[in-house]
Amino acid sequence: MKKVPTLDIRRYDTDRAAFVAELGAAYREFGFCCISGHGIPRELIDGAYDAFQQFFALPTDTKMKYHVPGSGGARGYTPFKVETAKDSKYADLKEFWHVGREIPRDSRFADVMSPNLWPTEVASFKQYGYGLFEALDQLGTRVLRALALHIDLPENYFEDKTEQGNSILRPIHYPPITEENIPNVRAGAHEDINFITLLVGASAEGLEVLTREGEWLPITTEGDAIVVNIGDMLQRLTNHVYPSTTHRVVNPQNENARKPRYSVPYFLHPNPDVVLDPLPQCVTAENPSRYDTSITSHEYLLQRLREIKLI
């Protein structure tokens, strides 16, 4: 049985060439890798989960105060059964919140990156929510350095393209499943839109990735490992050298279906004006350019949000 590998990112400093080769091989094969040794404190992750669970336990009327109709859920709360995987007939069994990057309101990106909302009912939400956002943003930058080196780019190639990225921390609550034989799943088969996704707390069962052979491979993590996968924007930029792999969250076939499930992905996005044309380093005779039109990351994001019924 194939397995998505777990690699210790501390090896980037001690055993760089081998680490970059192994990481690159994992992403070329699966589009996924588990990253350990990242140094994000357990108390930050636990504190964030606790704050998010407190929020989702609030009455629906209270949560709906933070729902911003017409915004595509860019900030604040998105209620149950709204997001729908592309081409799926059934909405996902989840509700979620979005924390975005704090930017100066005179930034050139202010018109497409709204200010954050913070629920006043949960005192620790902002401290832990934004603390986790920043920690995962920094870890994502470290992963992108290794990904850049693997395709013969300078180590810091992605940094000035992501430091103002329209990135999102998304605490998700999948409520207990109480009906038999419902057609909906917790998260329908999909690919992520962004550059890379960092998922904290994939210790609960349910996450599955589609292998090249067409089989669903379950992923659960151990210890401090965080699941990091490639999104469609990086797939496009690297001309599919790094594949954005289909994945889903299935409903447990045991008593865990009756338990709530929480997860917190961080969607690392490029700056809104980054053009997603295939990099020359990723275009070869064997892998000719797959795209003949240019598109910015913000245009791409809007196109995809329409497809999943968020706007």
PDB file of all heavy atoms in Angstrom, residues 28 238-241 280-290:
ATOM      1  N   ARG A  28       5.678  15.353  -6.607  1.00  0.00           N
ATOM      2  CA  ARG A  28       5.470  14.908  -7.994  1.00  0.00           C
ATOM      3  C   ARG A  28       4.568  13.675  -8.026  1.00  0.00           C
ATOM      4  O   ARG A  28       3.757  13.506  -8.939  1.00  0.00           O
ATOM      5  CB  ARG A  28       6.812  14.594  -8.660  1.00  0.00           C
ATOM      6  CG  ARG A  28       7.611  15.835  -9.055  1.00  0.00           C
ATOM      7  CD  ARG A  28       9.010  15.436  -9.501  1.00  0.00           C
ATOM      8  NE  ARG A  28       9.847  16.567  -9.821  1.00  0.00           N
ATOM      9  CZ  ARG A  28      10.087  17.015 -11.052  1.00  0.00           C
ATOM     10  NH1 ARG A  28       9.522  16.423 -12.098  1.00  0.00           N
ATOM     11  NH2 ARG A  28      10.889  18.035 -11.255  1.00  0.00           N
ATOM     12  N   THR A 238       3.624  25.828 -12.315  1.00  0.00           N
ATOM     13  CA  THR A 238       4.704  24.857 -12.549  1.00  0.00           C
ATOM     14  C   THR A 238       4.379  23.909 -13.701  1.00  0.00           C
ATOM     15  O   THR A 238       5.045  22.872 -13.849  1.00  0.00           O
ATOM     16  CB  THR A 238       5.015  24.042 -11.277  1.00  0.00           C
ATOM     17  OG1 THR A 238       3.853  23.277 -10.897  1.00  0.00           O
ATOM     18  CG2 THR A 238       5.430  24.935 -10.128  1.00  0.00           C
ATOM     19  N   ASN A 239       3.352  24.262 -14.511  1.00  0.00           N
ATOM     20  CA  ASN A 239       3.013  23.464 -15.696  1.00  0.00           C
ATOM     21  C   ASN A 239       2.787  21.997 -15.336  1.00  0.00           C
ATOM     22  O   ASN A 239       3.203  21.091 -16.054  1.00  0.00           O
ATOM     23  CB  ASN A 239       4.136  23.610 -16.742  1.00  0.00           C
ATOM     24  CG  ASN A 239       3.657  23.287 -18.142  1.00  0.00           C
ATOM     25  OD1 ASN A 239       2.503  23.511 -18.495  1.00  0.00           O
ATOM     26  ND2 ASN A 239       4.561  22.731 -18.954  1.00  0.00           N
ATOM     27  N   HIS A 240       2.159  21.788 -14.179  1.00  0.00           N
ATOM     28  CA  HIS A 240       1.757  20.464 -13.681  1.00  0.00           C
ATOM     29  C   HIS A 240       2.934  19.602 -13.214  1.00  0.00           C
ATOM     30  O   HIS A 240       2.744  18.417 -12.941  1.00  0.00           O
ATOM     31  CB  HIS A 240       0.913  19.701 -14.708  1.00  0.00           C
ATOM     32  CG  HIS A 240      -0.426  20.335 -14.973  1.00  0.00           C
ATOM     33  ND1 HIS A 240      -1.612  19.648 -14.880  1.00  0.00           N
ATOM     34  CD2 HIS A 240      -0.774  21.601 -15.310  1.00  0.00           C
ATOM     35  CE1 HIS A 240      -2.631  20.467 -15.178  1.00  0.00           C
ATOM     36  NE2 HIS A 240      -2.133  21.670 -15.431  1.00  0.00           N
ATOM     37  N   VAL A 241       4.149  20.185 -13.097  1.00  0.00           N
ATOM     38  CA  VAL A 241       5.237  19.428 -12.467  1.00  0.00           C
ATOM     39  C   VAL A 241       4.822  19.080 -11.032  1.00  0.00           C
ATOM     40  O   VAL A 241       5.023  17.963 -10.556  1.00  0.00           O
ATOM     41  CB  VAL A 241       6.550  20.233 -12.485  1.00  0.00           C
ATOM     42  CG1 VAL A 241       7.615  19.558 -11.616  1.00  0.00           C
ATOM     43  CG2 VAL A 241       7.054  20.371 -13.922  1.00  0.00           C
ATOM     44  N   PRO A 280       9.330  29.070 -17.181  1.00  0.00           N
ATOM     45  CA  PRO A 280      10.200  28.464 -18.217  1.00  0.00           C
ATOM     46  C   PRO A 280      10.918  27.211 -17.713  1.00  0.00           C
ATOM     47  O   PRO A 280      11.132  26.270 -18.481  1.00  0.00           O
ATOM     48  CB  PRO A 280      11.205  29.580 -18.530  1.00  0.00           C
ATOM     49  CG  PRO A 280      10.623  30.846 -17.991  1.00  0.00           C
ATOM     50  CD  PRO A 280       9.623  30.488 -16.937  1.00  0.00           C
ATOM     51  N   GLN A 281      11.258  27.176 -16.409  1.00  0.00           N
ATOM     52  CA  GLN A 281      11.969  26.013 -15.842  1.00  0.00           C
ATOM     53  C   GLN A 281      11.114  24.742 -15.898  1.00  0.00           C
ATOM     54  O   GLN A 281      11.630  23.634 -15.763  1.00  0.00           O
ATOM     55  CB  GLN A 281      12.332  26.268 -14.367  1.00  0.00           C
ATOM     56  CG  GLN A 281      13.425  27.283 -14.156  1.00  0.00           C
ATOM     57  CD  GLN A 281      12.910  28.719 -14.155  1.00  0.00           C
ATOM     58  OE1 GLN A 281      11.762  29.003 -14.504  1.00  0.00           O
ATOM     59  NE2 GLN A 281      13.767  29.644 -13.765  1.00  0.00           N
ATOM     60  N   CYS A 282       9.793  24.912 -16.049  1.00  0.00           N
ATOM     61  CA  CYS A 282       8.872  23.768 -16.002  1.00  0.00           C
ATOM     62  C   CYS A 282       8.311  23.420 -17.372  1.00  0.00           C
ATOM     63  O   CYS A 282       7.426  22.570 -17.492  1.00  0.00           O
ATOM     64  CB  CYS A 282       7.730  24.063 -15.034  1.00  0.00           C
ATOM     65  SG  CYS A 282       8.288  24.342 -13.338  1.00  0.00           S
ATOM     66  N   VAL A 283       8.820  24.089 -18.411  1.00  0.00           N
ATOM     67  CA  VAL A 283       8.364  23.811 -19.780  1.00  0.00           C
ATOM     68  C   VAL A 283       9.506  23.123 -20.522  1.00  0.00           C
ATOM     69  O   VAL A 283      10.607  23.668 -20.636  1.00  0.00           O
ATOM     70  CB  VAL A 283       7.944  25.113 -20.498  1.00  0.00           C
ATOM     71  CG1 VAL A 283       7.543  24.813 -21.942  1.00  0.00           C
ATOM     72  CG2 VAL A 283       6.801  25.790 -19.754  1.00  0.00           C
ATOM     73  N   THR A 284       9.262  21.892 -20.987  1.00  0.00           N
ATOM     74  CA  THR A 284      10.291  21.120 -21.683  1.00  0.00           C
ATOM     75  C   THR A 284       9.658  20.466 -22.907  1.00  0.00           C
ATOM     76  O   THR A 284       8.434  20.520 -23.092  1.00  0.00           O
ATOM     77  CB  THR A 284      10.848  20.001 -20.779  1.00  0.00           C
ATOM     78  OG1 THR A 284       9.752  19.122 -20.424  1.00  0.00           O
ATOM     79  CG2 THR A 284      11.482  20.544 -19.509  1.00  0.00           C
ATOM     80  N   ALA A 285      10.484  19.811 -23.705  1.00  0.00           N
ATOM     81  CA  ALA A 285       9.957  19.081 -24.867  1.00  0.00           C
ATOM     82  C   ALA A 285       8.987  17.991 -24.413  1.00  0.00           C
ATOM     83  O   ALA A 285       7.957  17.745 -25.049  1.00  0.00           O
ATOM     84  CB  ALA A 285      11.116  18.466 -25.651  1.00  0.00           C
ATOM     85  N   GLU A 286       9.304  17.346 -23.278  1.00  0.00           N
ATOM     86  CA  GLU A 286       8.429  16.275 -22.762  1.00  0.00           C
ATOM     87  C   GLU A 286       7.198  16.841 -22.059  1.00  0.00           C
ATOM     88  O   GLU A 286       6.190  16.158 -21.918  1.00  0.00           O
ATOM     89  CB  GLU A 286       9.177  15.384 -21.756  1.00  0.00           C
ATOM     90  CG  GLU A 286      10.396  14.664 -22.287  1.00  0.00           C
ATOM     91  CD  GLU A 286      11.603  15.588 -22.419  1.00  0.00           C
ATOM     92  OE1 GLU A 286      11.917  16.316 -21.470  1.00  0.00           O
ATOM     93  OE2 GLU A 286      12.213  15.577 -23.513  1.00  0.00           O
ATOM     94  N   ASN A 287       7.319  18.081 -21.582  1.00  0.00           N
ATOM     95  CA  ASN A 287       6.203  18.708 -20.847  1.00  0.00           C
ATOM     96  C   ASN A 287       5.957  20.101 -21.426  1.00  0.00           C
ATOM     97  O   ASN A 287       6.249  21.112 -20.803  1.00  0.00           O
ATOM     98  CB  ASN A 287       6.546  18.791 -19.345  1.00  0.00           C
ATOM     99  CG  ASN A 287       5.367  19.276 -18.506  1.00  0.00           C
ATOM    100  OD1 ASN A 287       4.207  19.063 -18.848  1.00  0.00           O
ATOM    101  ND2 ASN A 287       5.663  19.940 -17.392  1.00  0.00           N
ATOM    102  N   PRO A 288       5.406  20.157 -22.658  1.00  0.00           N
ATOM    103  CA  PRO A 288       5.180  21.467 -23.273  1.00  0.00           C
ATOM    104  C   PRO A 288       4.148  22.273 -22.491  1.00  0.00           C
ATOM    105  O   PRO A 288       3.359  21.707 -21.723  1.00  0.00           O
ATOM    106  CB  PRO A 288       4.664  21.121 -24.681  1.00  0.00           C
ATOM    107  CG  PRO A 288       4.214  19.708 -24.609  1.00  0.00           C
ATOM    108  CD  PRO A 288       4.982  19.049 -23.511  1.00  0.00           C
ATOM    109  N   SER A 289       4.176  23.582 -22.664  1.00  0.00           N
ATOM    110  CA  SER A 289       3.263  24.450 -21.905  1.00  0.00           C
ATOM    111  C   SER A 289       1.813  24.044 -22.138  1.00  0.00           C
ATOM    112  O   SER A 289       1.386  23.839 -23.272  1.00  0.00           O
ATOM    113  CB  SER A 289       3.461  25.907 -22.310  1.00  0.00           C
ATOM    114  OG  SER A 289       2.521  26.703 -21.612  1.00  0.00           O
ATOM    115  N   ARG A 290       1.075  23.925 -21.026  1.00  0.00           N
ATOM    116  CA  ARG A 290      -0.325  23.498 -21.102  1.00  0.00           C
ATOM    117  C   ARG A 290      -1.286  24.680 -21.186  1.00  0.00           C
ATOM    118  O   ARG A 290      -2.504  24.479 -21.231  1.00  0.00           O
ATOM    119  CB  ARG A 290      -0.667  22.662 -19.855  1.00  0.00           C
ATOM    120  CG  ARG A 290       0.141  21.371 -19.773  1.00  0.00           C
ATOM    121  CD  ARG A 290       0.090  20.813 -18.352  1.00  0.00           C
ATOM    122  NE  ARG A 290       1.014  19.703 -18.187  1.00  0.00           N
ATOM    123  CZ  ARG A 290       0.633  18.423 -18.073  1.00  0.00           C
ATOM    124  NH1 ARG A 290      -0.638  18.096 -18.136  1.00  0.00           N
ATOM    125  NH2 ARG A 290       1.534  17.477 -17.897  1.00  0.00           N
TER     126      ARG A 290
END
